[in-house]
């Protein structure tokens, strides 16, 4: 259930080859097995090698030349949704069937940012994989709405490169060296109706998808919450509402689903804080006051009380005991 597997269908590799991509070289570099299932590291290696030996626009062309009948089932569910906002929510929900990754939809101010994170990412997403992912999302939204939608901007973690090519495709400003790879939309676009809406087809598709997703949700929801909390823990106490929004769930639904698994949000938050505190205390160059701040405690005394409940001692004494143990080795 929680195995590190990412799907790379042979049909996708065949389409890439037709576009001039050197899939044989990439498959050899990543040691792609006969099956469609790779580890995240293999998947990233495949795309790194593909980018180094293929035309620079290969990811963008993969998005435009993939036909609707070639869409995976999650994309079909999104395409036949009633509006753009619902389509994004369905993508975020059902893309988890394609591997251990999360598509987050962050709303801030009047903007909506969509970005994907892989649970077992060995490093940043390869640039051509980013191109293909963001371009495929935009093409799906354009096909669904029947409009030439343009993002408000595209955020990219890479250094400035391929700027004219990317601007021609996305038709919007680019922000390089960003904190994430994201497609940023005007929030007003969420209500855009889809001309491809097909309620009858959704009635057939969704029960099957929900049935396949159920075991993944039961086994990985706590992991997902832990990952979001850890990612957001940088001087603030990640709120339940923010975590729920990043997981494309309502606050009430997240509370209910965690309750069904026998845990609470506070329990998960405390557990992440506990393990993060131990990891940071092992680094002698990180001050205890700084650790308290990073974990979102209002003051160091609050952190000390929490740590005493976890370990039966204070952070300073725990660190001293670790140092003493190291000295004896």
């Amino acid at each position: 259930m929680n195995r590190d597997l990412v799907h790379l269908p042979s049909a996708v590799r065949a389409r890439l080859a037709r576009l001039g991509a050197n899939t044989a070289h990439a498959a050899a570099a990543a040691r792609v097995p006969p099956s469609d299932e790779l580890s995240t590291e293999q998947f990233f290696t495949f795309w790194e090698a593909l980018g180094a030996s293929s035309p620079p626009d290969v990811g963008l062309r993969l998005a435009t030349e993939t036909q609707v009948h070639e869409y995976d089932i999650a994309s079909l569910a999104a395409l036949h949704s009633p509006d753009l906002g619902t389509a994004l929510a369905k993508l975020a929900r059902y893309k988890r069937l394609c591997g251990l990754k999360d598509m987050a939809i962050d709303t801030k101010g009047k903007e909506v940012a969509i970005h994907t994170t892989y649970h077992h990412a060995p490093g940043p997403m390869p640039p051509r994989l980013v191109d293909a992912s963001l371009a495929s999302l935009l093409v799906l939204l354009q096909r669904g709405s029947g409009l030439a939608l343009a993002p408000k901007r595209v955020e990219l973690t890479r250094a400035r490169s391929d700027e004219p090519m990317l601007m021609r495709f996305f038709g919007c400003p680019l922000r390089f060296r960003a904190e994430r790879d994201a497609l940023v939309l005007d929030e007003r676009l969420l209500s855009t109706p889809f001309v491809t809406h097909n309620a009858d087809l959704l009635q057939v598709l969704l029960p099957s998808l929900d049935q396949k997703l159920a075991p993944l949700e039961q086994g990985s929801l706590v992991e997902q919450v832990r990952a979001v909390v850890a990612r957001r823990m940088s001087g603030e106490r990640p709120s339940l509402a923010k975590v729920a929004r990043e997981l494309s769930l309502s606050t009430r639904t997240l509370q209910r689903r965690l309750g069904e698994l026998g845990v609470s949000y506070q329990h998960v938050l405390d557990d992440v804080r506990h393990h993060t505190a131990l990891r940071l205390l092992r680094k002698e160059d990180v001050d205890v006051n700084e650790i308290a701040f990073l974990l979102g405690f209002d003051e160091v005394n609050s952190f000390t009380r929490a740590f005493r409940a976890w370990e039966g001692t204070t952070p300073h004494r725990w660190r001293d005991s670790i140092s003493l143990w190291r000295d004896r080795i």
Side-chain angles (χ1 to χ4, degrees):
M1 182 181 301
N2 294 321
R3 292 173 60 203
D4 175 18
L5 292 177
V6 178
H7 299 285
L8 179 61
S10 56
V12 172
R13 299 203 297 272
R15 286 200 294 275
L16 285 166
R18 290 199 302 270
L19 296 173
N22 193 341
T23 53
H25 168 74
R31 298 182 180 179
V32 174
S35 68
D36 291 343
E37 296 180 333
L38 293 71
S39 68
T40 307
E41 185 173 2
Q42 286 178 303
F43 186 63
F44 277 31
T45 300
F46 175 87
W47 276 97
E48 286 284 6
L50 194 81
S53 60
S54 305
D57 65 347
V58 65
L60 304 178
R61 291 179 60 205
L62 177 65
T64 56
E65 298 192 25
T66 297
Q67 302 302 308
V68 170
H69 71 271
E70 296 173 310
Y71 274 177
D72 59 41
I73 198 163
S75 298
L76 284 175
L79 186 68
H80 296 300
S81 297
D83 54 59
L84 190 147
T86 306
L88 290 177
K90 290 197 183 323
L91 272 178
R93 177 169 171 76
Y94 297 122
K95 275 295 185 182
R96 284 174 282 172
L97 292 170
C98 301
L100 287 177
K101 59 183 177 180
D102 293 320
M103 191 181 107
I105 305 169
D106 292 339
T107 303
K108 186 176 182 180
K110 297 182 178 180
E111 295 181 345
V112 178
I114 306 103
H115 57 101
T116 298
T117 55
Y118 285 79
H119 292 196
H120 298 280
M125 282 177 65
R128 299 313 169 210
L129 174 58
V130 172
D131 294 349
S133 299
L134 298 184
S136 296
L137 174 59
L138 180 60
V139 169
L140 187 152
L141 298 181
Q142 290 174 336
R143 286 173 173 170
S145 65
L147 302 172
L149 299 178
K152 191 169 183 178
R153 69 178 176 278
V154 169
E155 298 179 356
L156 300 164
T157 57
R158 73 190 75 164
R160 188 177 300 275
S161 59
D162 301 317
E163 191 169 8
M165 176 187 79
L166 294 170
M167 286 191 70
R168 279 196 303 273
F169 184 90
F170 290 105
C172 67
L174 308 174
R175 178 181 294 174
F176 292 96
R177 296 191 183 279
E179 294 183 357
R180 61 192 176 183
D181 296 296
L183 197 72
V184 182
L185 307 175
D186 189 309
E187 187 184 23
R188 290 174 296 182
L189 290 179
L190 294 179
S191 59
T192 304
F194 266 24
V195 297
T196 51
H197 179 214
N198 187 328
D200 293 336
L201 184 58
L202 287 178
Q203 197 169 11
V204 174
L205 280 180
L206 298 189
S208 163
L209 288 173
D210 288 333
Q211 185 176 12
K212 291 179 181 177
L213 192 61
L216 294 180
E217 289 186 319
Q218 291 298 310
S220 68
L221 179 62
V222 174
E223 273 189 31
Q224 292 173 44
V225 173
R226 284 178 58 87
V228 175
V229 169
R231 190 164 58 245
R232 285 187 168 272
M233 194 169 288
S234 55
E236 67 167 330
R237 180 186 183 278
S239 69
L240 174 65
K242 286 182 179 179
V243 173
R245 187 161 56 244
E246 188 157 339
L247 293 174
S248 302
L249 298 171
S250 69
T251 302
R252 182 175 297 178
T253 297
L254 179 56
Q255 285 178 312
R256 176 177 57 78
R257 291 186 181 175
L258 287 174
E260 290 170 353
L261 296 173
V263 298
S264 66
Y265 175 71
Q266 186 63 47
H267 173 86
V268 178
L269 175 63
D270 286 344
D271 191 49
V272 173
R273 280 174 153 179
H274 180 191
H275 286 87
T276 305
L278 297 180
R279 176 173 57 82
L280 293 175
L281 284 168
R282 289 188 177 95
K283 298 180 178 181
E284 296 182 359
D285 59 338
V286 185
D287 184 75
V288 170
N289 289 336
E290 185 179 355
I291 294 173
F293 168 75
L294 290 172
L295 297 181
F297 287 96
D298 294 331
E299 55 183 8
V300 71
N301 287 340
S302 300
F303 171 48
T304 300
R305 285 194 297 272
F307 193 86
R308 191 187 293 275
W310 298 329
E311 294 292 326
T313 187
T314 67
H316 288 287
R317 288 175 181 168
W318 191 91
R319 171 174 274 173
D320 289 343
S321 68
I322 289 294
S323 299
L324 182 62
W325 177 78
R326 285 172 177 161
D327 291 341
R328 289 176 177 173
I329 296 177

